[in-house]
Amino acid sequence: MESPNYWMLALRMLGSLALLMYGMKAMSDALQKMAGPQLRHILGAMTTNRFTGMLTGVFVTAAVQSSTATTVMTVSFVSAGLLTLAQAISVIMGANIGTTLTAWIMSAGFSFNITDFVYPAFFIAIILIYNKKRRVVGDFIYGIAFMFLGLGTLRATGIDMNLGENEAVLSFFSSFDPDSFLTTITFLLIGGLLTMCVQSSAAVMAITMILCSSGVLPIYQGIALVMGENIGTTVTSNIVALSAGTQARRAAFAHMFFNLFGVVWVLILFKPFVNMVCSLVGYDVEMTNDSPNFLANAAKLSFVLAAFHTCFNLINTAILIGFIPQIEKLVCKVIKIKDEGDEDTRLRYIQGGLMKTPEISVYQAQKEITLFGTRIQRMYRMTLELLPMTDNEKDDKEFDKLFDRIEKYEGISDNMEIEIARYLEQVSNAHLSDETKGKIRQMMREISEIESIGDACYNLARTMKRKRQAKEKFNEQQSKSLNEMLSLTDKALSQMNVVMAGRKEEINAKETFRIENEINSLRNTLKANNIQSVNDHEYDYSVGTLYIDMVNECEKLGDYVVNVVEARMA
């Protein structure tokens, strides 16, 4: 019998793993395109207590086939104050249960030759992809087909490698004492390191299933690899979260604590627990290689691994769900809020590399734009504080300090526009639905107009500085009219932020347009009155110029607000 070409088989295995990983990502992205907004609303509405939070995590993760996506959505809600950290921890527990569905899908792919069903799926998918209305469904079927093609090819590669008859491989694994605790720890570390290297617990799970199903890797070592995969994927999340905010780091650490705790108690009850799972599946642990039913018994090993993964997470959740307040305290104690300087100088939602799914990335960008709007209104209100100081010559230090802060905010608004735009450009390079592409175009317009509001605020502040330096003062009527205009503009900004924070289908933009009409009408009245007052020598032309410059800047600011709202409503 001709010996297999292991180099070619190794390349085939790597390619199969790549197909598997690509298929899972394509399937997850397509599911999020189909149900992303609805799932986000469910996540925000169904986390009233720890049990509904856990069930929500199970449902959402099973639906989108990505615990990372669920965790990221959860962290964003915590950052926005819509969820507490305790609720987020319950959702993350549920996400761990939901992600076990992946192992069951893979074990089904290893139990029979599934590639016979793959090619018709590719044919159906390509037809749907060229239909605009059904493109996302086509992407979903395409992802499933690639995933099962990868699984089928992996299974065939494992059979062709004849690992069960390879003396070198057999002697390597037999060199480890199956009864030794050190062996279990060794394979646990190997599973963790492999997961960190390939950045996919699903890929490592597939390799584990091949090794176990071929009879090369004893079930106890295979289970140890699966435990290591659970830890490896949380280590990766924690490394990524280092560049994110405090709540993201806390959520990532809670995820790691959950899995580490589970691994500890499983190690204490290792053999009895594994034997219990094996008996549930009907796998005979005592059966040897020379038994006539060995291959049929070994075929159940992929299901044993999937069952262990599910039992591990179910029991772990059952133990820890009653201790969520204590876990929250521990997480907050370990991950303390560090002094990050002025919070307004940083992006909050799209910093760091947690985002891997384009549809949710768009949602995160929208949260950042909403925050951008509130920061701009904060800048405007600083400008309002500056106006009374223009008439007080003794407050030089206070005036300069506040003006410098407004100037700093203007720079921050420029940077935020650039950073959000850059992020949206990166997201737009991904394969997105037409609706999402349209959202990105609208969001680009929103950030441009919000940055223009920042410029208008800065121009107002500069005019006030000129007024102070020229030692000009407004009369009582000018001050009253200007305060009315400034108050209307602040009301417009408040209404803009209400619109930005709301759901599109629930937004009523009429109030914004009504305020804009009031601003325009008042501007026209004040301009006409100013010309008359200058002609009547009530005040100097230079004072009138400063006054009207501020009125005009307020009117421009109102126009930018309307543009933001129109972009949001488009």
Side-chain angles (χ1 to χ4, degrees), residues 463-486:
T463 305
M464 291 176 190
K465 189 173 185 178
R466 277 167 40 216
K467 175 180 178 293
R468 179 181 171 81
Q469 289 171 341
K471 298 182 180 180
E472 301 283 10
K473 292 188 179 181
F474 295 148
N475 63 26
E476 186 178 343
Q477 184 57 47
Q478 282 178 308
S479 297
K480 183 181 176 183
S481 299
L482 188 57
N483 283 329
E484 185 181 354
M485 175 63 88
L486 292 168

PDB file of all heavy atoms in Angstrom, residues 463-486:
ATOM      1  N   THR A 463     -15.358  85.682  18.149  1.00  0.00           N
ATOM      2  CA  THR A 463     -16.030  86.985  18.073  1.00  0.00           C
ATOM      3  C   THR A 463     -16.155  87.596  19.470  1.00  0.00           C
ATOM      4  O   THR A 463     -15.971  88.805  19.664  1.00  0.00           O
ATOM      5  CB  THR A 463     -17.427  86.829  17.433  1.00  0.00           C
ATOM      6  OG1 THR A 463     -17.286  86.199  16.158  1.00  0.00           O
ATOM      7  CG2 THR A 463     -18.095  88.183  17.250  1.00  0.00           C
ATOM      8  N   MET A 464     -16.465  86.752  20.443  1.00  0.00           N
ATOM      9  CA  MET A 464     -16.551  87.233  21.833  1.00  0.00           C
ATOM     10  C   MET A 464     -15.186  87.720  22.328  1.00  0.00           C
ATOM     11  O   MET A 464     -15.108  88.718  23.061  1.00  0.00           O
ATOM     12  CB  MET A 464     -17.061  86.112  22.744  1.00  0.00           C
ATOM     13  CG  MET A 464     -18.516  85.736  22.507  1.00  0.00           C
ATOM     14  SD  MET A 464     -19.035  84.336  23.527  1.00  0.00           S
ATOM     15  CE  MET A 464     -20.636  83.973  22.814  1.00  0.00           C
ATOM     16  N   LYS A 465     -14.126  87.055  21.894  1.00  0.00           N
ATOM     17  CA  LYS A 465     -12.780  87.479  22.291  1.00  0.00           C
ATOM     18  C   LYS A 465     -12.451  88.839  21.666  1.00  0.00           C
ATOM     19  O   LYS A 465     -11.850  89.709  22.322  1.00  0.00           O
ATOM     20  CB  LYS A 465     -11.758  86.424  21.868  1.00  0.00           C
ATOM     21  CG  LYS A 465     -10.367  86.685  22.430  1.00  0.00           C
ATOM     22  CD  LYS A 465      -9.423  85.517  22.130  1.00  0.00           C
ATOM     23  CE  LYS A 465      -8.072  85.745  22.799  1.00  0.00           C
ATOM     24  NZ  LYS A 465      -7.143  84.621  22.589  1.00  0.00           N
ATOM     25  N   ARG A 466     -12.851  89.009  20.400  1.00  0.00           N
ATOM     26  CA  ARG A 466     -12.642  90.305  19.733  1.00  0.00           C
ATOM     27  C   ARG A 466     -13.396  91.407  20.467  1.00  0.00           C
ATOM     28  O   ARG A 466     -12.898  92.513  20.654  1.00  0.00           O
ATOM     29  CB  ARG A 466     -13.119  90.234  18.282  1.00  0.00           C
ATOM     30  CG  ARG A 466     -12.102  89.625  17.315  1.00  0.00           C
ATOM     31  CD  ARG A 466     -12.699  89.274  15.964  1.00  0.00           C
ATOM     32  NE  ARG A 466     -13.646  90.276  15.485  1.00  0.00           N
ATOM     33  CZ  ARG A 466     -14.748  89.980  14.798  1.00  0.00           C
ATOM     34  NH1 ARG A 466     -15.060  88.725  14.541  1.00  0.00           N
ATOM     35  NH2 ARG A 466     -15.539  90.942  14.391  1.00  0.00           N
ATOM     36  N   LYS A 467     -14.611  91.105  20.880  1.00  0.00           N
ATOM     37  CA  LYS A 467     -15.437  92.071  21.613  1.00  0.00           C
ATOM     38  C   LYS A 467     -14.736  92.481  22.918  1.00  0.00           C
ATOM     39  O   LYS A 467     -14.688  93.668  23.269  1.00  0.00           O
ATOM     40  CB  LYS A 467     -16.803  91.446  21.910  1.00  0.00           C
ATOM     41  CG  LYS A 467     -17.725  92.298  22.786  1.00  0.00           C
ATOM     42  CD  LYS A 467     -19.054  91.564  22.997  1.00  0.00           C
ATOM     43  CE  LYS A 467     -19.980  92.351  23.910  1.00  0.00           C
ATOM     44  NZ  LYS A 467     -19.525  92.468  25.293  1.00  0.00           N
ATOM     45  N   ARG A 468     -14.194  91.475  23.610  1.00  0.00           N
ATOM     46  CA  ARG A 468     -13.519  91.759  24.880  1.00  0.00           C
ATOM     47  C   ARG A 468     -12.262  92.607  24.661  1.00  0.00           C
ATOM     48  O   ARG A 468     -11.999  93.561  25.394  1.00  0.00           O
ATOM     49  CB  ARG A 468     -13.169  90.435  25.570  1.00  0.00           C
ATOM     50  CG  ARG A 468     -12.434  90.603  26.907  1.00  0.00           C
ATOM     51  CD  ARG A 468     -12.105  89.232  27.503  1.00  0.00           C
ATOM     52  NE  ARG A 468     -11.242  89.353  28.653  1.00  0.00           N
ATOM     53  CZ  ARG A 468     -11.638  89.657  29.888  1.00  0.00           C
ATOM     54  NH1 ARG A 468     -12.920  89.883  30.133  1.00  0.00           N
ATOM     55  NH2 ARG A 468     -10.769  89.745  30.877  1.00  0.00           N
ATOM     56  N   GLN A 469     -11.483  92.220  23.617  1.00  0.00           N
ATOM     57  CA  GLN A 469     -10.243  92.955  23.341  1.00  0.00           C
ATOM     58  C   GLN A 469     -10.518  94.398  22.909  1.00  0.00           C
ATOM     59  O   GLN A 469      -9.748  95.310  23.228  1.00  0.00           O
ATOM     60  CB  GLN A 469      -9.441  92.209  22.266  1.00  0.00           C
ATOM     61  CG  GLN A 469      -8.824  90.913  22.763  1.00  0.00           C
ATOM     62  CD  GLN A 469      -8.219  90.089  21.632  1.00  0.00           C
ATOM     63  OE1 GLN A 469      -8.542  90.282  20.456  1.00  0.00           O
ATOM     64  NE2 GLN A 469      -7.319  89.174  21.987  1.00  0.00           N
ATOM     65  N   ALA A 470     -11.624  94.581  22.180  1.00  0.00           N
ATOM     66  CA  ALA A 470     -11.996  95.936  21.720  1.00  0.00           C
ATOM     67  C   ALA A 470     -12.706  96.730  22.809  1.00  0.00           C
ATOM     68  O   ALA A 470     -12.977  97.926  22.627  1.00  0.00           O
ATOM     69  CB  ALA A 470     -12.895  95.835  20.492  1.00  0.00           C
ATOM     70  N   LYS A 471     -13.005  96.056  23.936  1.00  0.00           N
ATOM     71  CA  LYS A 471     -13.698  96.669  25.083  1.00  0.00           C
ATOM     72  C   LYS A 471     -15.049  97.268  24.669  1.00  0.00           C
ATOM     73  O   LYS A 471     -15.457  98.317  25.162  1.00  0.00           O
ATOM     74  CB  LYS A 471     -12.816  97.718  25.750  1.00  0.00           C
ATOM     75  CG  LYS A 471     -11.526  97.137  26.323  1.00  0.00           C
ATOM     76  CD  LYS A 471     -10.691  98.203  27.017  1.00  0.00           C
ATOM     77  CE  LYS A 471      -9.412  97.578  27.587  1.00  0.00           C
ATOM     78  NZ  LYS A 471      -8.562  98.579  28.272  1.00  0.00           N
ATOM     79  N   GLU A 472     -15.699  96.568  23.714  1.00  0.00           N
ATOM     80  CA  GLU A 472     -17.029  97.009  23.278  1.00  0.00           C
ATOM     81  C   GLU A 472     -18.096  96.349  24.163  1.00  0.00           C
ATOM     82  O   GLU A 472     -17.910  95.217  24.631  1.00  0.00           O
ATOM     83  CB  GLU A 472     -17.268  96.596  21.814  1.00  0.00           C
ATOM     84  CG  GLU A 472     -16.262  97.149  20.838  1.00  0.00           C
ATOM     85  CD  GLU A 472     -16.507  98.619  20.502  1.00  0.00           C
ATOM     86  OE1 GLU A 472     -17.357  99.254  21.172  1.00  0.00           O
ATOM     87  OE2 GLU A 472     -15.860  99.139  19.588  1.00  0.00           O
ATOM     88  N   LYS A 473     -19.194  97.048  24.367  1.00  0.00           N
ATOM     89  CA  LYS A 473     -20.269  96.496  25.183  1.00  0.00           C
ATOM     90  C   LYS A 473     -21.594  96.628  24.440  1.00  0.00           C
ATOM     91  O   LYS A 473     -21.838  97.626  23.767  1.00  0.00           O
ATOM     92  CB  LYS A 473     -20.343  97.211  26.535  1.00  0.00           C
ATOM     93  CG  LYS A 473     -19.136  96.924  27.428  1.00  0.00           C
ATOM     94  CD  LYS A 473     -19.326  97.495  28.827  1.00  0.00           C
ATOM     95  CE  LYS A 473     -18.108  97.153  29.692  1.00  0.00           C
ATOM     96  NZ  LYS A 473     -18.250  97.672  31.078  1.00  0.00           N
ATOM     97  N   PHE A 474     -22.447  95.600  24.594  1.00  0.00           N
ATOM     98  CA  PHE A 474     -23.779  95.633  23.989  1.00  0.00           C
ATOM     99  C   PHE A 474     -24.740  96.351  24.935  1.00  0.00           C
ATOM    100  O   PHE A 474     -24.599  96.269  26.159  1.00  0.00           O
ATOM    101  CB  PHE A 474     -24.298  94.213  23.735  1.00  0.00           C
ATOM    102  CG  PHE A 474     -23.489  93.433  22.725  1.00  0.00           C
ATOM    103  CD1 PHE A 474     -23.371  92.053  22.837  1.00  0.00           C
ATOM    104  CD2 PHE A 474     -22.867  94.067  21.665  1.00  0.00           C
ATOM    105  CE1 PHE A 474     -22.650  91.323  21.909  1.00  0.00           C
ATOM    106  CE2 PHE A 474     -22.144  93.350  20.730  1.00  0.00           C
ATOM    107  CZ  PHE A 474     -22.025  91.968  20.853  1.00  0.00           C
ATOM    108  N   ASN A 475     -25.709  97.046  24.331  1.00  0.00           N
ATOM    109  CA  ASN A 475     -26.724  97.683  25.176  1.00  0.00           C
ATOM    110  C   ASN A 475     -27.734  96.629  25.651  1.00  0.00           C
ATOM    111  O   ASN A 475     -27.661  95.455  25.286  1.00  0.00           O
ATOM    112  CB  ASN A 475     -27.412  98.850  24.458  1.00  0.00           C
ATOM    113  CG  ASN A 475     -28.183  98.396  23.229  1.00  0.00           C
ATOM    114  OD1 ASN A 475     -28.625  97.254  23.135  1.00  0.00           O
ATOM    115  ND2 ASN A 475     -28.353  99.302  22.278  1.00  0.00           N
ATOM    116  N   GLU A 476     -28.665  97.063  26.433  1.00  0.00           N
ATOM    117  CA  GLU A 476     -29.609  96.125  27.066  1.00  0.00           C
ATOM    118  C   GLU A 476     -30.426  95.362  26.027  1.00  0.00           C
ATOM    119  O   GLU A 476     -30.648  94.147  26.144  1.00  0.00           O
ATOM    120  CB  GLU A 476     -30.535  96.901  28.013  1.00  0.00           C
ATOM    121  CG  GLU A 476     -31.449  95.996  28.820  1.00  0.00           C
ATOM    122  CD  GLU A 476     -32.329  96.770  29.783  1.00  0.00           C
ATOM    123  OE1 GLU A 476     -32.020  97.949  30.063  1.00  0.00           O
ATOM    124  OE2 GLU A 476     -33.327  96.202  30.254  1.00  0.00           O
ATOM    125  N   GLN A 477     -30.895  96.057  24.977  1.00  0.00           N
ATOM    126  CA  GLN A 477     -31.722  95.422  23.952  1.00  0.00           C
ATOM    127  C   GLN A 477     -30.908  94.401  23.150  1.00  0.00           C
ATOM    128  O   GLN A 477     -31.390  93.299  22.843  1.00  0.00           O
ATOM    129  CB  GLN A 477     -32.312  96.483  23.009  1.00  0.00           C
ATOM    130  CG  GLN A 477     -33.278  95.925  21.948  1.00  0.00           C
ATOM    131  CD  GLN A 477     -34.445  95.154  22.554  1.00  0.00           C
ATOM    132  OE1 GLN A 477     -35.071  95.635  23.496  1.00  0.00           O
ATOM    133  NE2 GLN A 477     -34.718  93.966  22.039  1.00  0.00           N
ATOM    134  N   GLN A 478     -29.668  94.763  22.804  1.00  0.00           N
ATOM    135  CA  GLN A 478     -28.796  93.824  22.087  1.00  0.00           C
ATOM    136  C   GLN A 478     -28.563  92.557  22.911  1.00  0.00           C
ATOM    137  O   GLN A 478     -28.648  91.433  22.387  1.00  0.00           O
ATOM    138  CB  GLN A 478     -27.443  94.482  21.776  1.00  0.00           C
ATOM    139  CG  GLN A 478     -27.457  95.434  20.599  1.00  0.00           C
ATOM    140  CD  GLN A 478     -26.095  96.066  20.394  1.00  0.00           C
ATOM    141  OE1 GLN A 478     -25.519  96.619  21.335  1.00  0.00           O
ATOM    142  NE2 GLN A 478     -25.582  95.986  19.182  1.00  0.00           N
ATOM    143  N   SER A 479     -28.250  92.726  24.198  1.00  0.00           N
ATOM    144  CA  SER A 479     -27.996  91.580  25.082  1.00  0.00           C
ATOM    145  C   SER A 479     -29.226  90.684  25.180  1.00  0.00           C
ATOM    146  O   SER A 479     -29.117  89.450  25.117  1.00  0.00           O
ATOM    147  CB  SER A 479     -27.598  92.066  26.480  1.00  0.00           C
ATOM    148  OG  SER A 479     -26.396  92.797  26.425  1.00  0.00           O
ATOM    149  N   LYS A 480     -30.406  91.301  25.298  1.00  0.00           N
ATOM    150  CA  LYS A 480     -31.644  90.538  25.406  1.00  0.00           C
ATOM    151  C   LYS A 480     -31.915  89.754  24.117  1.00  0.00           C
ATOM    152  O   LYS A 480     -32.256  88.551  24.155  1.00  0.00           O
ATOM    153  CB  LYS A 480     -32.804  91.489  25.702  1.00  0.00           C
ATOM    154  CG  LYS A 480     -34.142  90.784  25.907  1.00  0.00           C
ATOM    155  CD  LYS A 480     -35.239  91.804  26.174  1.00  0.00           C
ATOM    156  CE  LYS A 480     -36.597  91.090  26.275  1.00  0.00           C
ATOM    157  NZ  LYS A 480     -37.708  92.053  26.471  1.00  0.00           N
ATOM    158  N   SER A 481     -31.753  90.405  22.975  1.00  0.00           N
ATOM    159  CA  SER A 481     -32.006  89.750  21.682  1.00  0.00           C
ATOM    160  C   SER A 481     -30.994  88.638  21.415  1.00  0.00           C
ATOM    161  O   SER A 481     -31.350  87.555  20.916  1.00  0.00           O
ATOM    162  CB  SER A 481     -31.944  90.781  20.553  1.00  0.00           C
ATOM    163  OG  SER A 481     -32.924  91.772  20.733  1.00  0.00           O
ATOM    164  N   LEU A 482     -29.711  88.906  21.742  1.00  0.00           N
ATOM    165  CA  LEU A 482     -28.669  87.911  21.518  1.00  0.00           C
ATOM    166  C   LEU A 482     -28.894  86.678  22.403  1.00  0.00           C
ATOM    167  O   LEU A 482     -28.739  85.538  21.938  1.00  0.00           O
ATOM    168  CB  LEU A 482     -27.294  88.514  21.799  1.00  0.00           C
ATOM    169  CG  LEU A 482     -26.077  87.646  21.437  1.00  0.00           C
ATOM    170  CD1 LEU A 482     -26.109  87.251  19.968  1.00  0.00           C
ATOM    171  CD2 LEU A 482     -24.790  88.383  21.752  1.00  0.00           C
ATOM    172  N   ASN A 483     -29.302  86.905  23.648  1.00  0.00           N
ATOM    173  CA  ASN A 483     -29.588  85.780  24.549  1.00  0.00           C
ATOM    174  C   ASN A 483     -30.758  84.946  24.043  1.00  0.00           C
ATOM    175  O   ASN A 483     -30.770  83.718  24.176  1.00  0.00           O
ATOM    176  CB  ASN A 483     -29.883  86.287  25.964  1.00  0.00           C
ATOM    177  CG  ASN A 483     -28.612  86.694  26.701  1.00  0.00           C
ATOM    178  OD1 ASN A 483     -27.542  86.125  26.464  1.00  0.00           O
ATOM    179  ND2 ASN A 483     -28.715  87.681  27.585  1.00  0.00           N
ATOM    180  N   GLU A 484     -31.734  85.616  23.436  1.00  0.00           N
ATOM    181  CA  GLU A 484     -32.875  84.898  22.853  1.00  0.00           C
ATOM    182  C   GLU A 484     -32.405  84.010  21.698  1.00  0.00           C
ATOM    183  O   GLU A 484     -32.813  82.848  21.577  1.00  0.00           O
ATOM    184  CB  GLU A 484     -33.925  85.904  22.360  1.00  0.00           C
ATOM    185  CG  GLU A 484     -35.196  85.237  21.859  1.00  0.00           C
ATOM    186  CD  GLU A 484     -36.220  86.246  21.341  1.00  0.00           C
ATOM    187  OE1 GLU A 484     -35.983  87.477  21.484  1.00  0.00           O
ATOM    188  OE2 GLU A 484     -37.243  85.805  20.782  1.00  0.00           O
ATOM    189  N   MET A 485     -31.525  84.576  20.850  1.00  0.00           N
ATOM    190  CA  MET A 485     -30.988  83.801  19.727  1.00  0.00           C
ATOM    191  C   MET A 485     -30.146  82.624  20.222  1.00  0.00           C
ATOM    192  O   MET A 485     -30.263  81.490  19.723  1.00  0.00           O
ATOM    193  CB  MET A 485     -30.156  84.713  18.830  1.00  0.00           C
ATOM    194  CG  MET A 485     -29.437  83.991  17.684  1.00  0.00           C
ATOM    195  SD  MET A 485     -30.578  83.221  16.508  1.00  0.00           S
ATOM    196  CE  MET A 485     -30.872  84.581  15.383  1.00  0.00           C
ATOM    197  N   LEU A 486     -29.283  82.874  21.204  1.00  0.00           N
ATOM    198  CA  LEU A 486     -28.421  81.818  21.739  1.00  0.00           C
ATOM    199  C   LEU A 486     -29.252  80.712  22.396  1.00  0.00           C
ATOM    200  O   LEU A 486     -28.925  79.522  22.300  1.00  0.00           O
ATOM    201  CB  LEU A 486     -27.429  82.401  22.746  1.00  0.00           C
ATOM    202  CG  LEU A 486     -26.351  83.329  22.170  1.00  0.00           C
ATOM    203  CD1 LEU A 486     -25.618  84.060  23.292  1.00  0.00           C
ATOM    204  CD2 LEU A 486     -25.355  82.542  21.320  1.00  0.00           C
TER     205      LEU A 486
END
